[in-house]
Amino acid sequence: FTNKAAGEMRERIRNLLKGGEMPFVSTFHSLGVRLLREFADSAKLPRHFVIWDRDDGIRAVKTILKEKGLGDAFNPRAVLSAISKEKAGVGEPEAYTSSARTHFERVTANVWNAYETMKASEKALDFDDLLLRTLLLLQKNADVLSLLQDRWTYITIDEYQDTNRPQYEIA
């Protein structure tokens, strides 16, 4: 669900309502940005964090692999994909590190920890963080959850069958 598609959906809704009150329309990622900025203190984030796209993440992983002397031994895309897959399953670095069995998993765990440190030092979140950190915010802060449940009584999710675990749990 892209920002372009969300814009088209907003426009269709606006046309259907013919000047009526416009509901909130967002992608899950945009919702995450909005909530993480609004409740930055509760999420333990800087309000003005930057968002890394996939290329930023690959560059960071490539740098980390190079710093660890593994520059050509592992594909940065593969390592970042493994991290992303774990985040989509609501995984966190500590749990992944303790369950790592293969050499690739141990390297990925090591890189993931360094990746999180690098993002924190640059006040950055990646796309997966926008979902995972939003979910953690809602799970760990009952006041925020209650406020948002009062704010939005009803939700409609387009392409619901394509939601991943963090999106499902946020909904």
Side-chain angles (χ1 to χ4, degrees):
F1 198 65
T2 64
N3 288 328
K4 180 181 178 192
E8 290 172 4
M9 183 175 286
R10 260 187 230 98
E11 192 56 36
R12 280 188 242 135
I13 292 169
R14 190 174 286 114
N15 290 336
L16 288 169
L17 294 175
K18 298 184 188 339
E21 185 178 342
M22 184 67 183
F24 176 70
V25 178
S26 174
T27 65
F28 275 102
H29 289 89
S30 293
L31 174 66
V33 171
R34 176 184 173 144
L35 297 179
L36 292 173
R37 290 197 197 286
E38 181 177 350
F39 301 104
D41 292 339
S42 296
K44 296 178 177 59
L45 291 170
R47 190 169 308 279
H48 302 290
F49 57 82
V50 297
I51 301 168
W52 280 4
D53 64 15
R54 184 86 175 155
D55 289 340
D56 295 323
I58 290 168
R59 270 192 294 280
V61 169
K62 191 174 193 174
T63 298
I64 293 164
L65 286 168
K66 193 172 283 188
E67 288 172 356
K68 294 183 178 297
L70 301 167
D72 294 329
F74 293 90
N75 181 330
R77 283 179 177 11
V79 172
L80 189 58
S81 290
I83 293 169
S84 183
K85 181 180 176 191
E86 286 299 311
K87 286 182 179 183
V90 193
E92 296 190 62
E94 299 79 22
Y96 186 78
T97 298
S98 66
S99 68
R101 301 286 176 254
T102 68
H103 182 58
F104 177 78
E105 289 171 347
R106 287 189 294 275
V107 168
T108 298
N110 193 291
V111 169
W112 190 356
N113 286 303
Y115 180 68
E116 293 301 320
T117 300
M118 183 182 283
K119 285 188 304 168
S121 73
E122 296 190 22
K123 296 180 171 89
L125 298 177
D126 63 21
F127 287 136
D128 296 317
D129 293 329
L130 298 177
L131 300 177
L132 189 55
R133 296 296 294 266
T134 299
L135 176 58
L136 294 173
L137 169 69
L138 298 174
Q139 289 175 335
K140 294 180 179 183
N141 194 309
D143 292 338
V144 171
L145 178 61
S146 178
L147 185 138
L148 294 173
Q149 287 172 328
D150 288 342
R151 182 182 293 176
W152 295 307
T153 307
Y154 303 100
I155 62 170
T156 301
I157 301 173
D158 189 33
E159 303 291 339
Y160 181 78
Q161 73 278 4
D162 293 332
T163 57
N164 63 20
R165 183 170 167 202
Q167 292 168 333
Y168 173 79
E169 291 190 31
I170 289 167

